[in-house]
PDB file of all heavy atoms in Angstrom:
ATOM      1  N   SER R 260       0.836  -1.194  -0.007  1.00 96.00           N
ATOM      2  CA  SER R 260       0.009  -0.013   0.009  1.00 96.00           C
ATOM      3  C   SER R 260       0.885   1.240  -0.005  1.00 96.00           C
ATOM      4  O   SER R 260       2.077   1.166   0.290  1.00 96.00           O
ATOM      5  CB  SER R 260      -0.891   0.002   1.244  1.00 96.00           C
ATOM      6  OG  SER R 260      -0.102   0.233   2.404  1.00 96.00           O
ATOM      7  N   VAL R 261       0.266   2.373  -0.289  1.00 96.00           N
ATOM      8  CA  VAL R 261       1.001   3.647  -0.292  1.00 96.00           C
ATOM      9  C   VAL R 261       1.608   3.901   1.082  1.00 96.00           C
ATOM     10  O   VAL R 261       2.783   4.319   1.178  1.00 96.00           O
ATOM     11  CB  VAL R 261       0.071   4.807  -0.699  1.00 96.00           C
ATOM     12  CG1 VAL R 261       0.785   6.135  -0.563  1.00 96.00           C
ATOM     13  CG2 VAL R 261      -0.447   4.622  -2.101  1.00 96.00           C
ATOM     14  N   ASN R 262       0.863   3.627   2.122  1.00 95.00           N
ATOM     15  CA  ASN R 262       1.372   3.851   3.488  1.00 95.00           C
ATOM     16  C   ASN R 262       2.541   2.949   3.813  1.00 95.00           C
ATOM     17  O   ASN R 262       3.506   3.385   4.451  1.00 95.00           O
ATOM     18  CB  ASN R 262       0.253   3.681   4.527  1.00 95.00           C
ATOM     19  CG  ASN R 262      -0.737   4.815   4.469  1.00 95.00           C
ATOM     20  OD1 ASN R 262      -0.415   5.944   4.098  1.00 95.00           O
ATOM     21  ND2 ASN R 262      -1.985   4.512   4.823  1.00 95.00           N
ATOM     22  N   ASP R 263       2.505   1.695   3.386  1.00 96.00           N
ATOM     23  CA  ASP R 263       3.630   0.786   3.587  1.00 96.00           C
ATOM     24  C   ASP R 263       4.874   1.302   2.878  1.00 96.00           C
ATOM     25  O   ASP R 263       5.997   1.247   3.395  1.00 96.00           O
ATOM     26  CB  ASP R 263       3.322  -0.620   3.064  1.00 96.00           C
ATOM     27  CG  ASP R 263       2.352  -1.379   3.969  1.00 96.00           C
ATOM     28  OD1 ASP R 263       2.161  -0.972   5.125  1.00 96.00           O
ATOM     29  OD2 ASP R 263       1.807  -2.381   3.480  1.00 96.00           O
ATOM     30  N   ILE R 264       4.682   1.788   1.654  1.00 97.00           N
ATOM     31  CA  ILE R 264       5.810   2.309   0.874  1.00 97.00           C
ATOM     32  C   ILE R 264       6.375   3.545   1.551  1.00 97.00           C
ATOM     33  O   ILE R 264       7.587   3.696   1.677  1.00 97.00           O
ATOM     34  CB  ILE R 264       5.382   2.583  -0.574  1.00 97.00           C
ATOM     35  CG1 ILE R 264       5.001   1.271  -1.282  1.00 97.00           C
ATOM     36  CG2 ILE R 264       6.500   3.286  -1.348  1.00 97.00           C
ATOM     37  CD1 ILE R 264       4.293   1.476  -2.603  1.00 97.00           C
ATOM     38  N   ALA R 265       5.484   4.426   1.981  1.00 97.00           N
ATOM     39  CA  ALA R 265       5.926   5.650   2.665  1.00 97.00           C
ATOM     40  C   ALA R 265       6.724   5.305   3.933  1.00 97.00           C
ATOM     41  O   ALA R 265       7.770   5.923   4.183  1.00 97.00           O
ATOM     42  CB  ALA R 265       4.740   6.546   3.013  1.00 97.00           C
ATOM     43  N   ASP R 266       6.245   4.327   4.687  1.00 96.00           N
ATOM     44  CA  ASP R 266       6.993   3.901   5.881  1.00 96.00           C
ATOM     45  C   ASP R 266       8.351   3.345   5.501  1.00 96.00           C
ATOM     46  O   ASP R 266       9.346   3.627   6.161  1.00 96.00           O
ATOM     47  CB  ASP R 266       6.192   2.837   6.656  1.00 96.00           C
ATOM     48  CG  ASP R 266       4.968   3.424   7.348  1.00 96.00           C
ATOM     49  OD1 ASP R 266       4.875   4.659   7.496  1.00 96.00           O
ATOM     50  OD2 ASP R 266       4.091   2.626   7.729  1.00 96.00           O
ATOM     51  N   GLY R 267       8.403   2.541   4.438  1.00 94.00           N
ATOM     52  CA  GLY R 267       9.651   1.961   3.976  1.00 94.00           C
ATOM     53  C   GLY R 267      10.662   2.988   3.516  1.00 94.00           C
ATOM     54  O   GLY R 267      11.871   2.804   3.666  1.00 94.00           O
ATOM     55  N   LEU R 268      10.172   4.058   2.963  1.00 95.00           N
ATOM     56  CA  LEU R 268      11.062   5.132   2.472  1.00 95.00           C
ATOM     57  C   LEU R 268      11.331   6.194   3.526  1.00 95.00           C
ATOM     58  O   LEU R 268      12.236   7.015   3.374  1.00 95.00           O
ATOM     59  CB  LEU R 268      10.438   5.814   1.259  1.00 95.00           C
ATOM     60  CG  LEU R 268      10.279   4.998   0.007  1.00 95.00           C
ATOM     61  CD1 LEU R 268       9.644   5.842  -1.081  1.00 95.00           C
ATOM     62  CD2 LEU R 268      11.623   4.481  -0.475  1.00 95.00           C
ATOM     63  N   GLY R 269      10.496   6.203   4.565  1.00 95.00           N
ATOM     64  CA  GLY R 269      10.644   7.257   5.582  1.00 95.00           C
ATOM     65  C   GLY R 269      10.253   8.615   5.046  1.00 95.00           C
ATOM     66  O   GLY R 269      10.879   9.625   5.349  1.00 95.00           O
ATOM     67  N   THR R 270       9.188   8.639   4.236  1.00 94.00           N
ATOM     68  CA  THR R 270       8.728   9.885   3.626  1.00 94.00           C
ATOM     69  C   THR R 270       7.212   9.994   3.766  1.00 94.00           C
ATOM     70  O   THR R 270       6.571   9.135   4.342  1.00 94.00           O
ATOM     71  CB  THR R 270       9.192   9.970   2.169  1.00 94.00           C
ATOM     72  OG1 THR R 270       8.930  11.269   1.678  1.00 94.00           O
ATOM     73  CG2 THR R 270       8.499   8.949   1.289  1.00 94.00           C
ATOM     74  N   TYR R 271       6.667  11.054   3.228  1.00 95.00           N
ATOM     75  CA  TYR R 271       5.236  11.313   3.329  1.00 95.00           C
ATOM     76  C   TYR R 271       4.451  10.589   2.245  1.00 95.00           C
ATOM     77  O   TYR R 271       4.923  10.422   1.122  1.00 95.00           O
ATOM     78  CB  TYR R 271       4.957  12.814   3.252  1.00 95.00           C
ATOM     79  CG  TYR R 271       5.566  13.579   4.388  1.00 95.00           C
ATOM     80  CD1 TYR R 271       6.684  14.380   4.193  1.00 95.00           C
ATOM     81  CD2 TYR R 271       5.027  13.502   5.680  1.00 95.00           C
ATOM     82  CE1 TYR R 271       7.262  15.079   5.230  1.00 95.00           C
ATOM     83  CE2 TYR R 271       5.580  14.216   6.720  1.00 95.00           C
ATOM     84  CZ  TYR R 271       6.716  14.990   6.506  1.00 95.00           C
ATOM     85  OH  TYR R 271       7.273  15.657   7.550  1.00 95.00           O
ATOM     86  N   GLN R 272       3.204  10.237   2.575  1.00 94.00           N
ATOM     87  CA  GLN R 272       2.319   9.529   1.652  1.00 94.00           C
ATOM     88  C   GLN R 272       2.079  10.355   0.392  1.00 94.00           C
ATOM     89  O   GLN R 272       2.008   9.797  -0.716  1.00 94.00           O
ATOM     90  CB  GLN R 272       1.010   9.222   2.380  1.00 94.00           C
ATOM     91  CG  GLN R 272       0.006   8.460   1.560  1.00 94.00           C
ATOM     92  CD  GLN R 272      -1.002   9.372   0.885  1.00 94.00           C
ATOM     93  OE1 GLN R 272      -1.229  10.512   1.293  1.00 94.00           O
ATOM     94  NE2 GLN R 272      -1.577   8.888  -0.201  1.00 94.00           N
ATOM     95  N   VAL R 273       1.972  11.664   0.503  1.00 95.00           N
ATOM     96  CA  VAL R 273       1.711  12.521  -0.633  1.00 95.00           C
ATOM     97  C   VAL R 273       2.855  12.412  -1.666  1.00 95.00           C
ATOM     98  O   VAL R 273       2.618  12.318  -2.858  1.00 95.00           O
ATOM     99  CB  VAL R 273       1.511  13.990  -0.195  1.00 95.00           C
ATOM    100  CG1 VAL R 273       1.409  14.924  -1.356  1.00 95.00           C
ATOM    101  CG2 VAL R 273       0.302  14.120   0.704  1.00 95.00           C
ATOM    102  N   GLN R 274       4.087  12.415  -1.162  1.00 96.00           N
ATOM    103  CA  GLN R 274       5.237  12.298  -2.069  1.00 96.00           C
ATOM    104  C   GLN R 274       5.254  10.940  -2.748  1.00 96.00           C
ATOM    105  O   GLN R 274       5.520  10.845  -3.955  1.00 96.00           O
ATOM    106  CB  GLN R 274       6.543  12.516  -1.283  1.00 96.00           C
ATOM    107  CG  GLN R 274       6.701  13.919  -0.772  1.00 96.00           C
ATOM    108  CD  GLN R 274       7.864  14.031   0.186  1.00 96.00           C
ATOM    109  OE1 GLN R 274       8.085  13.169   1.018  1.00 96.00           O
ATOM    110  NE2 GLN R 274       8.597  15.129   0.057  1.00 96.00           N
ATOM    111  N   VAL R 275       4.969   9.897  -1.990  1.00 97.00           N
ATOM    112  CA  VAL R 275       4.952   8.548  -2.561  1.00 97.00           C
ATOM    113  C   VAL R 275       3.868   8.452  -3.623  1.00 97.00           C
ATOM    114  O   VAL R 275       4.078   7.872  -4.683  1.00 97.00           O
ATOM    115  CB  VAL R 275       4.726   7.488  -1.448  1.00 97.00           C
ATOM    116  CG1 VAL R 275       4.462   6.114  -2.033  1.00 97.00           C
ATOM    117  CG2 VAL R 275       5.940   7.448  -0.509  1.00 97.00           C
ATOM    118  N   SER R 276       2.703   9.022  -3.369  1.00 96.00           N
ATOM    119  CA  SER R 276       1.610   8.981  -4.359  1.00 96.00           C
ATOM    120  C   SER R 276       2.035   9.625  -5.669  1.00 96.00           C
ATOM    121  O   SER R 276       1.709   9.105  -6.759  1.00 96.00           O
ATOM    122  CB  SER R 276       0.370   9.692  -3.790  1.00 96.00           C
ATOM    123  OG  SER R 276      -0.151   8.945  -2.725  1.00 96.00           O
ATOM    124  N   LYS R 277       2.756  10.717  -5.598  1.00 97.00           N
ATOM    125  CA  LYS R 277       3.235  11.385  -6.830  1.00 97.00           C
ATOM    126  C   LYS R 277       4.192  10.476  -7.598  1.00 97.00           C
ATOM    127  O   LYS R 277       4.115  10.369  -8.821  1.00 97.00           O
ATOM    128  CB  LYS R 277       3.892  12.718  -6.506  1.00 97.00           C
ATOM    129  CG  LYS R 277       2.926  13.775  -6.050  1.00 97.00           C
ATOM    130  CD  LYS R 277       3.617  15.069  -5.698  1.00 97.00           C
ATOM    131  CE  LYS R 277       2.615  16.089  -5.182  1.00 97.00           C
ATOM    132  NZ  LYS R 277       3.272  17.343  -4.830  1.00 97.00           N
ATOM    133  N   HIS R 278       5.106   9.838  -6.864  1.00 97.00           N
ATOM    134  CA  HIS R 278       6.059   8.932  -7.526  1.00 97.00           C
ATOM    135  C   HIS R 278       5.356   7.715  -8.120  1.00 97.00           C
ATOM    136  O   HIS R 278       5.687   7.276  -9.227  1.00 97.00           O
ATOM    137  CB  HIS R 278       7.149   8.485  -6.543  1.00 97.00           C
ATOM    138  CG  HIS R 278       8.098   9.565  -6.166  1.00 97.00           C
ATOM    139  ND1 HIS R 278       8.825  10.291  -7.112  1.00 97.00           N
ATOM    140  CD2 HIS R 278       8.471  10.056  -4.958  1.00 97.00           C
ATOM    141  CE1 HIS R 278       9.582  11.164  -6.471  1.00 97.00           C
ATOM    142  NE2 HIS R 278       9.389  11.059  -5.167  1.00 97.00           N
ATOM    143  N   LEU R 279       4.370   7.192  -7.397  1.00 97.00           N
ATOM    144  CA  LEU R 279       3.622   6.058  -7.897  1.00 97.00           C
ATOM    145  C   LEU R 279       2.838   6.406  -9.167  1.00 97.00           C
ATOM    146  O   LEU R 279       2.700   5.586 -10.077  1.00 97.00           O
ATOM    147  CB  LEU R 279       2.676   5.514  -6.820  1.00 97.00           C
ATOM    148  CG  LEU R 279       3.355   4.729  -5.707  1.00 97.00           C
ATOM    149  CD1 LEU R 279       2.396   4.488  -4.566  1.00 97.00           C
ATOM    150  CD2 LEU R 279       3.913   3.411  -6.209  1.00 97.00           C
ATOM    151  N   ARG R 280       2.365   7.615  -9.240  1.00 97.00           N
ATOM    152  CA  ARG R 280       1.648   8.055 -10.463  1.00 97.00           C
ATOM    153  C   ARG R 280       2.592   8.016 -11.661  1.00 97.00           C
ATOM    154  O   ARG R 280       2.230   7.534 -12.731  1.00 97.00           O
ATOM    155  CB  ARG R 280       1.092   9.461 -10.274  1.00 97.00           C
ATOM    156  CG  ARG R 280       0.208   9.896 -11.417  1.00 97.00           C
ATOM    157  CD  ARG R 280      -0.443  11.269 -11.241  1.00 97.00           C
ATOM    158  NE  ARG R 280      -0.811  11.563  -9.856  1.00 97.00           N
ATOM    159  CZ  ARG R 280      -0.274  12.575  -9.147  1.00 97.00           C
ATOM    160  NH1 ARG R 280       0.614  13.385  -9.650  1.00 97.00           N
ATOM    161  NH2 ARG R 280      -0.677  12.793  -7.897  1.00 97.00           N
ATOM    162  N   VAL R 281       3.824   8.484 -11.484  1.00 97.00           N
ATOM    163  CA  VAL R 281       4.795   8.470 -12.574  1.00 97.00           C
ATOM    164  C   VAL R 281       5.140   7.008 -12.947  1.00 97.00           C
ATOM    165  O   VAL R 281       5.194   6.668 -14.132  1.00 97.00           O
ATOM    166  CB  VAL R 281       6.086   9.222 -12.176  1.00 97.00           C
ATOM    167  CG1 VAL R 281       7.174   9.039 -13.217  1.00 97.00           C
ATOM    168  CG2 VAL R 281       5.784  10.705 -11.947  1.00 97.00           C
ATOM    169  N   LEU R 282       5.322   6.153 -11.957  1.00 98.00           N
ATOM    170  CA  LEU R 282       5.631   4.756 -12.227  1.00 98.00           C
ATOM    171  C   LEU R 282       4.465   4.064 -12.948  1.00 98.00           C
ATOM    172  O   LEU R 282       4.680   3.235 -13.828  1.00 98.00           O
ATOM    173  CB  LEU R 282       5.960   4.010 -10.920  1.00 98.00           C
ATOM    174  CG  LEU R 282       7.273   4.415 -10.248  1.00 98.00           C
ATOM    175  CD1 LEU R 282       7.382   3.798  -8.865  1.00 98.00           C
ATOM    176  CD2 LEU R 282       8.462   4.041 -11.107  1.00 98.00           C
ATOM    177  N   LYS R 283       3.240   4.417 -12.581  1.00 97.00           N
ATOM    178  CA  LYS R 283       2.071   3.844 -13.245  1.00 97.00           C
ATOM    179  C   LYS R 283       1.978   4.316 -14.674  1.00 97.00           C
ATOM    180  O   LYS R 283       1.711   3.510 -15.598  1.00 97.00           O
ATOM    181  CB  LYS R 283       0.796   4.194 -12.480  1.00 97.00           C
ATOM    182  CG  LYS R 283      -0.459   3.525 -13.021  1.00 97.00           C
ATOM    183  CD  LYS R 283      -1.600   3.700 -12.083  1.00 97.00           C
ATOM    184  CE  LYS R 283      -2.882   3.071 -12.541  1.00 97.00           C
ATOM    185  NZ  LYS R 283      -3.026   2.598 -13.850  1.00 97.00           N
ATOM    186  N   GLU R 284       2.214   5.614 -14.911  1.00 96.00           N
ATOM    187  CA  GLU R 284       2.173   6.148 -16.285  1.00 96.00           C
ATOM    188  C   GLU R 284       3.267   5.513 -17.162  1.00 96.00           C
ATOM    189  O   GLU R 284       3.076   5.344 -18.365  1.00 96.00           O
ATOM    190  CB  GLU R 284       2.350   7.659 -16.254  1.00 96.00           C
ATOM    191  CG  GLU R 284       1.114   8.395 -15.710  1.00 96.00           C
ATOM    192  CD  GLU R 284       1.350   9.861 -15.469  1.00 96.00           C
ATOM    193  OE1 GLU R 284       2.480  10.368 -15.723  1.00 96.00           O
ATOM    194  OE2 GLU R 284       0.410  10.527 -14.975  1.00 96.00           O
ATOM    195  N   ALA R 285       4.398   5.143 -16.539  1.00 96.00           N
ATOM    196  CA  ALA R 285       5.471   4.504 -17.279  1.00 96.00           C
ATOM    197  C   ALA R 285       5.205   3.007 -17.475  1.00 96.00           C
ATOM    198  O   ALA R 285       5.967   2.318 -18.149  1.00 96.00           O
ATOM    199  CB  ALA R 285       6.812   4.695 -16.538  1.00 96.00           C
ATOM    200  N   GLY R 286       4.130   2.501 -16.881  1.00 96.00           N
ATOM    201  CA  GLY R 286       3.769   1.094 -17.020  1.00 96.00           C
ATOM    202  C   GLY R 286       4.549   0.168 -16.107  1.00 96.00           C
ATOM    203  O   GLY R 286       4.500  -1.045 -16.259  1.00 96.00           O
ATOM    204  N   LEU R 287       5.237   0.718 -15.113  1.00 97.00           N
ATOM    205  CA  LEU R 287       6.041  -0.108 -14.213  1.00 97.00           C
ATOM    206  C   LEU R 287       5.250  -0.723 -13.059  1.00 97.00           C
ATOM    207  O   LEU R 287       5.673  -1.711 -12.483  1.00 97.00           O
ATOM    208  CB  LEU R 287       7.193   0.731 -13.644  1.00 97.00           C
ATOM    209  CG  LEU R 287       8.317   0.971 -14.631  1.00 97.00           C
ATOM    210  CD1 LEU R 287       9.179   2.139 -14.203  1.00 97.00           C
ATOM    211  CD2 LEU R 287       9.158  -0.264 -14.797  1.00 97.00           C
ATOM    212  N   VAL R 288       4.100  -0.116 -12.718  1.00 98.00           N
ATOM    213  CA  VAL R 288       3.299  -0.669 -11.614  1.00 98.00           C
ATOM    214  C   VAL R 288       1.848  -0.744 -12.021  1.00 98.00           C
ATOM    215  O   VAL R 288       1.385   0.001 -12.874  1.00 98.00           O
ATOM    216  CB  VAL R 288       3.431   0.165 -10.306  1.00 98.00           C
ATOM    217  CG1 VAL R 288       4.861   0.154  -9.785  1.00 98.00           C
ATOM    218  CG2 VAL R 288       2.929   1.562 -10.494  1.00 98.00           C
ATOM    219  N   ASP R 289       1.160  -1.670 -11.391  1.00 96.00           N
ATOM    220  CA  ASP R 289      -0.293  -1.785 -11.481  1.00 96.00           C
ATOM    221  C   ASP R 289      -0.850  -1.462 -10.120  1.00 96.00           C
ATOM    222  O   ASP R 289      -0.170  -1.650  -9.089  1.00 96.00           O
ATOM    223  CB  ASP R 289      -0.720  -3.220 -11.834  1.00 96.00           C
ATOM    224  CG  ASP R 289      -0.711  -3.484 -13.320  1.00 96.00           C
ATOM    225  OD1 ASP R 289      -0.898  -2.538 -14.095  1.00 96.00           O
ATOM    226  OD2 ASP R 289      -0.492  -4.650 -13.700  1.00 96.00           O
TER     227      ASP R 289
END
């Protein structure tokens, strides 16, 4: 989940969501 990723990175959920959007647009994540 976004929260698990944010915890793993030690960053905020909002920042992770932005990065996940880019990864999704690049086709790297579902």
Side-chain angles (χ1 to χ4, degrees):
S260 69
V261 175
N262 289 331
D263 287 344
I264 296 168
D266 289 344
L268 294 179
T270 190
Y271 297 106
Q272 181 266 338
V273 174
Q274 293 170 319
V275 170
S276 292
K277 289 179 183 180
H278 289 305
L279 286 168
R280 187 176 324 118
V281 172
L282 291 170
K283 186 169 180 348
E284 289 171 0
L287 285 161
V288 297
D289 275 332

